[in-house]
Amino acid sequence: MEGLISTIQGYSLRDGPGIRSTVFTMGCALRCQYCSNPELLEMKIRTMELNNTSTRVGKWISSEELAKKLFKDKIFYTESKGGVTFSGGECLLQSDFVYETAKLLKEEDISIAIDTSLYVPRQNIEKVLPVVDLFLVDIKAIDDTLHQKVTSQSNRLILENLMWLKTQPVELWIRLVLVGNLNDDLEDVKKRFNFIQELGQSVTRVDVLCYHNLGLSKYKGLNMTCSLSNDAFITKEYLHKLKTLIARYDFDIRIEGEE
Ligand code: SF4
């Protein structure tokens, strides 16, 4: 079975517990205004111009070949209680490929995480579930109109999938990416935390990620336009209010990217 991926990032400390290898797959059905990986949105091989150099993005690879590459760092996964994370793009658009690869890794006792928007049919999640230990899921907005503005799509499928996932024997880390003047309305953020509370014990960690503009040069290199304004950064004043809100909740919430 072959899948379309862009890169494998080794020694990652951000995409789940311990030291991990993160596989970035191609293709995503959402169009988040703040997406920092615009080169991964289309399910096809692309060319990106960066620093006057043309870079080819995307390559087809078999599950066996990918698993073999990932096995090489098994010692780091084992020593650090880490593993492999499938990310993207939206890795669950290629759920058969992810399943086939993850199955080979599980046979070697390697822990598997899936970084997903959950904007996929339920059967794609069911496919990978037997080989997954942890799901990392973004909640981008609770208000559906706001969600459509942020991502171009309704959040109904995502929230339904999350409510279903909480009934499954799997751990959940929830991520809230906050973008100034886009999805930072504190009323909606409060609703996101309340929704997380409803997910109960499955959620073992919540990460608040403040917007960064590291992906901006890629938009230029792909002849794409990033529609975010210059005031998308999260301010200290905002963070102060956010921390007051967070104090009301008793789950493990961490803030990343404070200025
Ligand atoms: S879900 Fe992720 S990859 Fe897809 S558009 Fe949003 S930020 Fe980008």
Side-chain angles (χ1 to χ4, degrees):
M1 169 113 228
E2 288 205 319
L4 186 59
I5 70 166
S6 70
T7 47
I8 303 169
Q9 187 186 327
Y11 314 109
S12 167
L13 297 170
R14 297 187 72 247
D15 303 311
I19 298 172
R20 314 192 69 82
S21 290
T22 303
V23 180
F24 290 91
T25 62
M26 309 273 300
C28 182
L30 297 183
R31 290 293 178 269
C32 302
Q33 289 193 37
Y34 56 80
C35 184
S36 55
N37 294 320
E39 76 281 20
L40 306 183
L41 296 179
E42 304 289 336
M43 185 71 170
K44 63 180 186 192
I45 293 170
R46 305 189 69 174
T47 304
M48 179 167 64
E49 301 288 330
L50 275 184
N51 304 322
N52 295 322
T53 310
S54 280
T55 310
R56 190 181 147 99
V57 183
K59 64 178 172 197
W60 290 95
I61 188 168
S62 70
S63 296
E64 290 76 16
E65 192 186 344
L66 178 56
K68 209 166 139 194
K69 284 179 190 283
L70 295 164
F71 283 148
K72 288 186 186 148
D73 283 337
K74 186 182 173 188
I75 180 78
F76 297 106
Y77 314 145
T78 310
E79 293 294 317
S80 68
K81 295 192 169 52
V84 169
T85 301
F86 291 88
S87 183
E90 173 51 69
C91 62
L92 291 183
L93 289 181
Q94 302 184 65
S95 55
D96 289 339
F97 167 69
V98 168
Y99 170 76
E100 290 300 329
T101 313
K103 189 160 65 102
L104 295 170
L105 297 167
K106 282 304 259 187
E107 284 165 10
E108 295 288 324
D109 280 332
I110 294 173
S111 178
I112 304 294
I114 298 283
D115 178 7
T116 173
S117 70
L118 289 184
Y119 188 71
V120 291
R122 177 78 48 84
Q123 61 264 31
N124 293 33
I125 310 169
E126 285 171 334
K127 175 77 198 188
V128 300
L129 198 58
V131 290
V132 174
D133 303 286
L134 169 70
F135 281 85
L136 312 169
V137 184
D138 285 0
I139 302 180
K140 300 158 200 296
I142 292 292
D143 178 82
D144 199 24
T145 308
L146 177 60
H147 195 273
Q148 290 179 44
K149 181 180 171 195
V150 175
T151 71
S152 80
Q153 299 293 340
S154 164
N155 61 9
R156 206 169 143 197
L157 177 65
I158 294 168
L159 299 182
E160 282 173 6
N161 279 336
L162 254 177
M163 288 309 272
W164 172 80
L165 209 45
K166 84 163 187 179
T167 66
Q168 303 302 312
V170 76
E171 189 180 347
L172 294 173
W173 285 15
I174 304 293
R175 291 167 154 186
L176 306 183
V177 179
L178 291 184
V179 185
N181 293 301
L182 183 65
N183 70 344
D184 62 338
D185 172 53
L186 279 171
E187 265 313 301
D188 197 84
V189 174
K190 189 168 131 194
K191 286 180 191 164
R192 280 171 244 174
F193 284 129
N194 291 344
F195 185 84
I196 294 166
Q197 228 167 12
E198 281 180 49
L199 296 172
Q201 303 287 321
S202 331
V203 179
T204 55
R205 175 169 157 170
V206 177
D207 288 294
V208 174
L209 311 174
C210 299
Y211 168 73
H212 63 74
N213 63 357
L214 298 179
L216 219 51
S217 56
K218 297 186 198 171
Y219 281 84
K220 216 172 160 191
L222 292 158
N223 273 328
M224 290 169 67
T225 312
C226 178
S227 52
L228 285 184
S229 57
N230 286 334
D231 46 8
F233 293 102
I234 296 297
T235 63
K236 281 199 173 73
E237 294 71 31
Y238 179 87
L239 276 178
H240 182 71
K241 289 183 203 157
L242 180 70
K243 284 175 183 169
T244 308
L245 174 65
I246 283 175
R248 296 187 209 156
Y249 297 88
D250 63 359
F251 32 77
D252 180 6
I253 304 177
R254 306 169 193 206
I255 301 179
E256 190 181 301
E258 294 184 49
E259 289 286 296

Short mmCIF file of all heavy atoms in Angstrom, two decimals, residues 14-38:
data_model
loop_
_atom_site.label_atom_id
_atom_site.label_comp_id
_atom_site.label_asym_id
_atom_site.label_seq_id
_atom_site.Cartn_x
_atom_site.Cartn_y
_atom_site.Cartn_z
N ARG A 14 7.13 17.77 20.09
CA ARG A 14 5.88 18.55 20.13
C ARG A 14 4.63 17.74 19.83
O ARG A 14 3.53 18.19 20.12
CB ARG A 14 5.95 19.68 19.10
CG ARG A 14 7.03 20.70 19.34
CD ARG A 14 6.91 21.87 18.41
NE ARG A 14 5.79 22.72 18.71
CZ ARG A 14 4.73 22.87 17.93
NH1 ARG A 14 4.64 22.21 16.80
NH2 ARG A 14 3.75 23.67 18.28
N ASP A 15 4.78 16.60 19.21
CA ASP A 15 3.60 15.92 18.67
C ASP A 15 3.19 14.68 19.46
O ASP A 15 2.87 13.64 18.89
CB ASP A 15 3.86 15.55 17.20
CG ASP A 15 4.20 16.78 16.38
OD1 ASP A 15 3.47 17.78 16.48
OD2 ASP A 15 5.23 16.75 15.67
N GLY A 16 3.19 14.82 20.79
CA GLY A 16 2.86 13.70 21.66
C GLY A 16 3.96 13.52 22.68
O GLY A 16 4.91 14.30 22.72
N PRO A 17 3.84 12.51 23.54
CA PRO A 17 4.84 12.34 24.60
C PRO A 17 6.18 11.84 24.08
O PRO A 17 6.24 11.16 23.06
CB PRO A 17 4.20 11.29 25.52
CG PRO A 17 3.20 10.58 24.68
CD PRO A 17 2.74 11.53 23.60
N GLY A 18 7.25 12.16 24.80
CA GLY A 18 8.58 11.62 24.50
C GLY A 18 9.15 12.12 23.18
O GLY A 18 8.68 13.10 22.60
N ILE A 19 10.18 11.42 22.74
CA ILE A 19 10.81 11.75 21.45
C ILE A 19 10.06 10.99 20.36
O ILE A 19 9.83 9.79 20.47
CB ILE A 19 12.30 11.36 21.45
CG1 ILE A 19 13.04 12.15 22.53
CG2 ILE A 19 12.92 11.61 20.07
CD1 ILE A 19 14.47 11.72 22.74
N ARG A 20 9.71 11.71 19.28
CA ARG A 20 8.86 11.10 18.26
C ARG A 20 9.41 11.37 16.85
O ARG A 20 10.16 12.31 16.63
CB ARG A 20 7.43 11.67 18.34
CG ARG A 20 6.88 11.72 19.75
CD ARG A 20 5.41 12.00 19.77
NE ARG A 20 4.61 10.90 19.26
CZ ARG A 20 4.26 9.84 19.98
NH1 ARG A 20 4.63 9.73 21.23
NH2 ARG A 20 3.53 8.88 19.44
N SER A 21 9.00 10.54 15.93
CA SER A 21 9.13 10.86 14.51
C SER A 21 7.74 11.24 14.04
O SER A 21 6.77 10.52 14.32
CB SER A 21 9.61 9.66 13.71
OG SER A 21 10.94 9.36 14.02
N THR A 22 7.64 12.37 13.35
CA THR A 22 6.35 12.81 12.84
C THR A 22 6.33 12.68 11.33
O THR A 22 7.21 13.20 10.65
CB THR A 22 6.07 14.27 13.26
OG1 THR A 22 6.13 14.35 14.68
CG2 THR A 22 4.69 14.73 12.80
N VAL A 23 5.32 11.99 10.83
CA VAL A 23 5.15 11.80 9.39
C VAL A 23 4.11 12.81 8.90
O VAL A 23 2.96 12.79 9.37
CB VAL A 23 4.65 10.37 9.07
CG1 VAL A 23 4.48 10.20 7.56
CG2 VAL A 23 5.59 9.32 9.65
N PHE A 24 4.51 13.68 8.00
CA PHE A 24 3.58 14.67 7.44
C PHE A 24 3.00 14.13 6.14
O PHE A 24 3.75 13.91 5.18
CB PHE A 24 4.28 16.01 7.22
CG PHE A 24 4.61 16.71 8.51
CD1 PHE A 24 5.84 16.50 9.12
CD2 PHE A 24 3.69 17.54 9.12
CE1 PHE A 24 6.14 17.11 10.33
CE2 PHE A 24 3.98 18.17 10.33
CZ PHE A 24 5.20 17.95 10.93
N THR A 25 1.70 13.91 6.13
CA THR A 25 1.04 13.39 4.93
C THR A 25 0.44 14.56 4.14
O THR A 25 0.27 15.66 4.67
CB THR A 25 -0.09 12.42 5.31
OG1 THR A 25 -1.06 13.14 6.08
CG2 THR A 25 0.42 11.24 6.11
N MET A 26 0.12 14.29 2.89
CA MET A 26 -0.41 15.33 2.01
C MET A 26 -1.94 15.22 1.92
O MET A 26 -2.50 14.14 1.95
CB MET A 26 0.15 15.19 0.60
CG MET A 26 1.65 15.09 0.51
SD MET A 26 2.53 16.64 0.42
CE MET A 26 1.93 17.42 -1.03
N GLY A 27 -2.58 16.39 1.75
CA GLY A 27 -4.02 16.44 1.55
C GLY A 27 -4.78 16.84 2.80
O GLY A 27 -4.49 16.34 3.89
N CYS A 28 -5.69 17.80 2.66
CA CYS A 28 -6.55 18.20 3.78
C CYS A 28 -7.81 18.84 3.18
O CYS A 28 -7.73 19.58 2.19
CB CYS A 28 -5.85 19.21 4.68
SG CYS A 28 -6.86 19.68 6.10
N ALA A 29 -8.96 18.55 3.78
CA ALA A 29 -10.22 19.09 3.25
C ALA A 29 -10.57 20.44 3.88
O ALA A 29 -11.50 21.10 3.44
CB ALA A 29 -11.35 18.09 3.49
N LEU A 30 -9.84 20.83 4.93
CA LEU A 30 -10.09 22.14 5.54
C LEU A 30 -9.13 23.17 4.92
O LEU A 30 -8.14 22.81 4.29
CB LEU A 30 -9.87 22.08 7.06
CG LEU A 30 -10.81 21.16 7.84
CD1 LEU A 30 -10.51 21.26 9.35
CD2 LEU A 30 -12.26 21.51 7.58
N ARG A 31 -9.44 24.42 5.13
CA ARG A 31 -8.58 25.51 4.66
C ARG A 31 -8.48 26.54 5.78
O ARG A 31 -8.98 27.67 5.67
CB ARG A 31 -9.16 26.16 3.38
CG ARG A 31 -9.09 25.27 2.15
CD ARG A 31 -7.64 25.01 1.70
NE ARG A 31 -7.55 24.13 0.54
CZ ARG A 31 -7.43 22.80 0.60
NH1 ARG A 31 -7.41 22.18 1.76
NH2 ARG A 31 -7.33 22.08 -0.50
N CYS A 32 -7.82 26.14 6.87
CA CYS A 32 -7.69 27.04 8.02
C CYS A 32 -6.89 28.28 7.60
O CYS A 32 -5.83 28.15 6.97
CB CYS A 32 -6.98 26.34 9.17
SG CYS A 32 -7.81 24.84 9.68
N GLN A 33 -7.41 29.42 7.98
CA GLN A 33 -6.74 30.67 7.56
C GLN A 33 -5.32 30.76 8.10
O GLN A 33 -4.49 31.44 7.54
CB GLN A 33 -7.54 31.88 8.04
CG GLN A 33 -8.85 32.07 7.31
CD GLN A 33 -9.44 33.44 7.61
OE1 GLN A 33 -8.73 34.44 7.75
NE2 GLN A 33 -10.75 33.50 7.72
N TYR A 34 -5.06 30.09 9.23
CA TYR A 34 -3.76 30.20 9.88
C TYR A 34 -2.84 29.01 9.55
O TYR A 34 -1.77 28.87 10.15
CB TYR A 34 -3.92 30.28 11.40
CG TYR A 34 -4.69 29.13 11.99
CD1 TYR A 34 -4.08 27.90 12.22
CD2 TYR A 34 -6.03 29.26 12.31
CE1 TYR A 34 -4.79 26.83 12.75
CE2 TYR A 34 -6.75 28.20 12.83
CZ TYR A 34 -6.12 27.00 13.06
OH TYR A 34 -6.82 25.94 13.58
N CYS A 35 -3.25 28.17 8.62
CA CYS A 35 -2.49 26.94 8.36
C CYS A 35 -1.01 27.24 8.12
O CYS A 35 -0.67 28.08 7.29
CB CYS A 35 -3.07 26.22 7.14
SG CYS A 35 -2.24 24.64 6.85
N SER A 36 -0.15 26.55 8.85
CA SER A 36 1.29 26.80 8.68
C SER A 36 1.93 25.79 7.72
O SER A 36 3.14 25.81 7.51
CB SER A 36 2.01 26.78 10.03
OG SER A 36 1.74 25.57 10.68
N ASN A 37 1.11 24.90 7.16
CA ASN A 37 1.62 23.93 6.19
C ASN A 37 0.83 23.97 4.88
O ASN A 37 0.28 22.95 4.44
CB ASN A 37 1.55 22.51 6.77
CG ASN A 37 2.49 22.32 7.94
OD1 ASN A 37 3.61 22.81 7.92
ND2 ASN A 37 2.02 21.63 8.95
N PRO A 38 0.77 25.13 4.22
CA PRO A 38 -0.07 25.23 3.02
C PRO A 38 0.41 24.31 1.89
O PRO A 38 -0.37 23.96 1.01
CB PRO A 38 0.06 26.70 2.61
CG PRO A 38 1.35 27.16 3.22
CD PRO A 38 1.48 26.40 4.51
#
